Amino acid sequence: MKKILIANRGEIAIRIIRACQELGLETVAIHSIVDKNSLHTKLADESVCIGQNPSLQSYLNIPKVMSAAEITGADAIHPGYGFLSESSEFAKVCQEYGLVFIGPSPRQIEILGNKVEARKLAISANIPLLPGLTEPIVDLKQAKISAEEIGYPVIIKASAGGGGRGMKIVNTPGELNKQLLIAQSEAKSCFGLSDCYLEKYLSNPRHIEIQIIADHHNNVLHLGERECSIQRRHQKIIEESPSITLDQNLKNIVANYAVSLARQAEYRSLGTVEFLFQDNRFYFMEMNTRVQVEHPVTESVTGIDLIKEQIQIAKGLPLSFKQEDVTFTGHSIECRINAEDPFSFAPCPGKVKEYHQPGGPGIRVDSMLYSGYTVPPHYDSMIAKLISYGKTRKESIQRMLRALKEMKISGIKNNSEFHKRILNDSNFQNNNLSTKFIENFLSKENIS
Ligand code: ADP
């Protein structure tokens, strides 16, 4: 493997280019017309324009991505996250063209990318999950019977769902019909598959996930947990590692569940197994078969470069460390900086007049920003990730607050003020977290 095409844009494309450069690999960036001056195209060794701005005509267009790989002579493709990263079809096409897809096999993506199939796999690996269906909903009658059995509230989820979309909470039997129809039609339009299932809805859980790393030599390791309960509309905005809520016994339990699932799936790459945690019990939610946005917090506390490891695994190399070699030191937090209004959360793309990147001890910034860059309206609104590291959670929070104060982005609105408000909140500081945190926080702010 000599040359890697990065089938992505923004900060994750840059993150992958950096890993490739350290490994002595050549890089090819692809971009849409509007992304011509994007930082990833400047940092890669070569760049190819692959089409119009809508993702379907560029970053999601398999023939165009494959043509770019062919004309540049790339021998591997890194999909990053989002876009084609969880497309089993894309992984299959790469295989057919003799290119290495830096990720798991098409079959693993297919099974684990379908939440219903993943639930079946979890059952076969003896991993606890929430009461619910293990087949897609057939009709309203069946959904009603099963919701009665489980007990309201329930949540309807798209089998092929992702990114926090396609989920509907149903509190009473009267709401079921309407919510089911909406969920199914949203699932069809967002994911091309109308299949939905339902499970018990937990009122106040934490989101805890485990980083998995597995090679082609039967080594399946975990790299600890991440606490990702700070979410808005089921989308994470602050993540941290470790979770100070879990004692060593609970950490071992959840890590063992994740390793068992990866073993059951014969998984070989980076992956994340997600759980809900409430009343001292874990419930399997899903497995993501790609690198996660929040991977840097795990890198900070373990000192392991996840992208470099992912590339080495794809080359067929065995992991260079064993489970007992993995150590966890200090505490790391990530804030997702989005180009959005800090109060209404409406996206605010546009030209960045001035950008000052924070630095100093314990601060890492993964971003595509530079002064004069125009954030296009066509893609995700995340423009930077601030990652802090400290000996303790308290020091990590202090450093993040200092970095948020130091960061200057003029010309477009962003949510750094919102992050400051959360990090200064006593509930956040006291680790009083749940997936309901933001909802409660905003209603508390509105009252005061
Ligand atoms: P996606 O794949 O779209 O990210 P997930 O299944 O990972 O969807 O769920 C995203 C978030 O939705 C979770 O972190 C949690 O906040 C919420 N959620 C999902 N299922 C449940 C549930 N059964 N009970 C309570 N909250 C849930």
Side-chain angles (χ1 to χ4, degrees):
M1 198 192 285
K2 289 203 176 71
K3 197 189 258 193
I4 296 188
L5 180 138
I6 295 124
N8 217 299
R9 64 182 299 281
E11 70 82 22
I12 192 64
I14 295 168
R15 171 72 189 90
I16 298 161
I17 291 168
R18 287 178 173 147
C20 290
Q21 283 175 351
E22 289 180 27
L23 289 170
L25 296 164
E26 288 172 58
T27 53
V28 179
I30 55 168
H31 66 89
S32 62
I33 292 172
V34 74
D35 274 343
K36 183 172 183 287
N37 292 318
S38 189
L39 198 53
H40 77 285
T41 67
K42 296 174 198 274
L43 294 180
D45 298 312
E46 289 171 71
S47 72
V48 184
C49 180
I50 58 159
Q52 304 288 326
N53 302 332
S55 306
L56 280 172
Q57 293 171 47
S58 48
Y59 299 104
L60 282 173
N61 191 302
I62 296 177
K64 289 184 175 175
V65 176
M66 297 313 289
S67 303
E70 189 156 353
I71 56 167
T72 55
D75 40 33
I77 297 194
H78 197 305
Y81 54 69
F83 293 126
L84 293 169
S85 61
E86 285 166 296
S87 161
S88 56
E89 189 198 340
F90 182 55
K92 211 179 287 168
V93 172
C94 288
Q95 241 175 24
E96 282 162 12
Y97 275 64
L99 290 169
V100 177
F101 175 81
I102 303 177
S105 71
R107 181 84 188 118
Q108 289 160 353
I109 299 177
E110 202 174 295
I111 294 177
L112 294 164
N114 183 306
K115 293 181 196 237
V116 172
E117 294 302 319
R119 275 172 70 83
K120 285 188 201 159
L121 199 74
I123 293 170
S124 64
N126 278 326
I127 298 164
L129 28 75
L130 287 163
L133 292 174
T134 44
E135 294 294 342
I137 296 169
V138 181
D139 55 20
L140 177 65
K141 192 171 154 219
Q142 180 221 22
K144 260 210 166 106
I145 295 170
S146 120
E148 292 293 346
E149 267 171 28
I150 296 164
Y152 287 91
V154 297
I155 183 166
I156 305 175
K157 292 190 188 181
S159 304
R165 289 175 306 165
M167 285 187 274
K168 296 284 165 224
I169 299 155
V170 186
N171 291 303
T172 60
E175 295 167 18
L176 189 62
N177 188 21
K178 185 175 158 209
Q179 297 297 0
L180 179 59
L181 289 175
I182 300 175
Q184 286 173 330
S185 86
E186 277 183 14
K188 178 82 188 155
S189 63
C190 292
F191 311 110
L193 183 73
S194 63
D195 281 0
C196 289
Y197 72 101
L198 61 79
E199 66 185 24
K200 178 78 189 161
Y201 180 71
L202 290 183
S203 56
N204 209 28
R206 284 173 184 259
H207 174 121
I208 303 277
E209 60 185 35
I210 299 289
Q211 178 68 55
I212 286 292
I213 186 162
D215 64 15
H216 292 267
H217 305 269
N218 211 22
N219 299 306
V220 183
L221 313 186
H222 74 84
L223 301 180
E225 75 284 351
R226 294 185 286 256
E227 155 83 63
C228 310
S229 300
I230 309 296
Q231 308 178 349
R232 195 179 151 267
R233 296 198 176 152
H234 307 304
Q235 285 246 43
K236 300 161 192 166
I237 59 166
I238 299 179
E239 306 93 344
E240 52 186 297
S241 186
S243 162
I244 62 163
T245 309
L246 306 182
D247 60 21
Q248 195 54 48
N249 180 41
L250 286 168
K251 284 183 196 218
N252 293 345
I253 290 174
V254 66
N256 286 337
Y257 287 152
V259 169
S260 306
L261 186 84
R263 282 207 181 278
Q264 190 78 10
E266 297 181 6
Y267 196 75
R268 286 151 192 22
S269 188
L270 284 188
T272 297
V273 188
E274 298 190 330
F275 298 87
L276 290 177
F277 178 68
Q278 188 173 293
D279 303 326
N280 269 353
R281 296 181 67 168
F282 296 100
Y283 304 94
F284 168 74
M285 215 166 22
E286 65 165 344
M287 178 158 179
N288 289 322
T289 56
R290 53 171 165 81
V291 64
Q292 305 265 114
V293 174
E294 58 272 23
H295 76 275
V297 295
T298 298
E299 295 188 319
S300 301
V301 297
T302 60
I304 294 170
D305 184 317
L306 291 181
I307 308 287
K308 285 207 282 198
E309 294 296 335
Q310 190 186 22
I311 294 170
Q312 304 291 55
I313 292 168
K315 274 187 185 169
L317 295 173
L319 288 172
S320 58
F321 51 88
K322 297 196 174 63
Q323 188 66 62
E324 53 270 28
D325 302 328
V326 180
T327 53
F328 303 96
T329 314
H331 196 98
S332 182
I333 301 176
E334 174 181 275
C335 287
R336 299 189 188 193
I337 308 298
N338 296 332
E340 65 187 21
D341 185 286
F343 293 96
S344 73
F345 304 105
C348 291
K351 185 163 179 171
V352 177
K353 279 207 214 108
E354 273 176 313
Y355 170 58
H356 172 75
Q357 183 166 303
I363 293 299
R364 162 176 167 184
V365 183
D366 282 16
S367 172
M368 77 290 235
L369 288 186
Y370 58 85
S371 297
Y373 172 67
T374 299
V375 178
H378 312 84
Y379 314 108
D380 192 84
S381 63
M382 193 178 77
I383 47 173
K385 303 190 308 204
L386 290 193
I387 304 113
S388 70
Y389 176 78
K391 284 191 292 296
T392 59
R393 184 171 189 266
K394 191 171 172 200
E395 188 177 51
S396 191
I397 293 175
Q398 284 164 344
R399 285 181 165 164
M400 183 63 88
L401 280 166
R402 191 250 302 150
L404 285 163
K405 194 169 162 206
E406 197 178 312
M407 185 173 68
K408 293 278 173 293
I409 304 173
S410 70
I412 56 166
K413 290 183 185 171
N414 70 84
N415 63 350
S416 57
E417 284 302 319
F418 184 53
H419 280 294
K420 278 188 212 162
R421 277 155 40 213
I422 296 174
L423 265 74
N424 277 315
D425 181 77
S426 59
N427 279 328
F428 182 83
Q429 297 194 345
N430 294 329
N431 186 37
N432 205 352
L433 313 182
S434 85
T435 57
K436 291 285 166 62
F437 180 93
I438 299 277
E439 207 179 296
N440 296 337
F441 173 78
L442 289 174
S443 55
K444 195 171 80 182
E445 274 198 332
N446 285 339
I447 294 164
S448 59

